[in-house]
Amino acid sequence: MNGQGRLSEALKALAEETSDGGASPKVRAALLREVRRRRIRRAAPWWLAAAAALTIGVWLGVSTKQQRPAAPEMVSAPPVMEALPVRQDPRPALEDAPAVQAPSAVVVKRAAPARDAVSARLAATPWMVHQALPPVERGQVLRLPVSAELARQFGVPQQSGEWQAEIFVGDDGLARAFRLVRVPAYK
Amino acid sequence: MIESEAALVERMRRGDENAFEVLYARHQPAVYRYAFRMTGSRDQADDAVQETFLSLLSNRSYDPGSGPLRAYLYGTARHLLFRMWGAAGRVDELDGDYPMEAPDPLEGLEAEEQKERVRQALAGLPPHYREAVVLCELEELSYAEVAEVLGCAVGTVRSRLSRARAMLMERLSGERCRA
């Protein structure tokens, strides 16, 4: 065997010697952590949105229960004719005039809304901040469409356009503040 | 049906642990061996494996159409090692003939001693020549595969390996003379 042959043999022996083994378990563990982190990061918008929606749902439920304007109160009123002062007509009444039936009137008294109505010119309602939660330094603002009915319950006048809810969600996934924003403001 | 490596990479990037486990089990040993044989250090080989797979996780530069994943991983590990050494990306191809039939520097040595001397001589080669030996002789990749990893022509791989072997012989001879 010549020098090149011996070199090849030695290289082969070296290859066999270093063919076993692999990276230490800590490398695999570190990479696995990174893979999991990516899965959580990707899944975050889902659970964040779900958590926000849940929190908002509970919040809105409580808010509307506490602040919902009272339903129109139906009050029977005495006939209007009776309430009117007696007419002092100098002319004599026509004896053959038909008798007037006094209408039975209904007066509708609407209870004052719990919140001031939002001006149709305003672009957003004031922020409503959840005070009971611990403060956070960072978060995200989510925008969700809201129905006209829901917007109306927060004092937004009807016929004022389309509104969206802006929800500030802290890094812990809990909604901290809420307001309604008129959609045209973004267009 | 065997899932393509590109699909596995995509799943791994989405956080699929099973896809990661499959790819890691399939390619980690080769990347580790390559890095260890190039550096002689298990810690540096660990670092190279970690950085290589992190790059695959986060970097969108892997294009399945441009070649097999194995070549991409070797190439990434290689880039990391060269960056670590601060070596230039280009290599000055050595000209001139090397004596291929010089006196045999390994003659008369025990196998274990031959191996040890070759290990030391290999560690002393310039990186571009060392990797030709590591990839062709130790990793047993084909010339075409090595060319893909190194980003050069097959002919360049052949000539670089030939010169690397000659340089090894020269170093072994020098070592023998000093001994």
Side-chain angles (χ1 to χ4, degrees), chain A residues 63 69 94:
Chain A
S63 300
L94 295 173

Side-chain angles (χ1 to χ4, degrees), chain A residues 3-25:
Chain A
Q4 287 294 327
R6 283 201 182 83
L7 177 60
S8 295
E9 288 296 313
L11 285 171
K12 198 172 287 182
L14 194 56
E16 281 173 15
E17 188 190 73
T18 53
S19 62
D20 289 338
S24 69

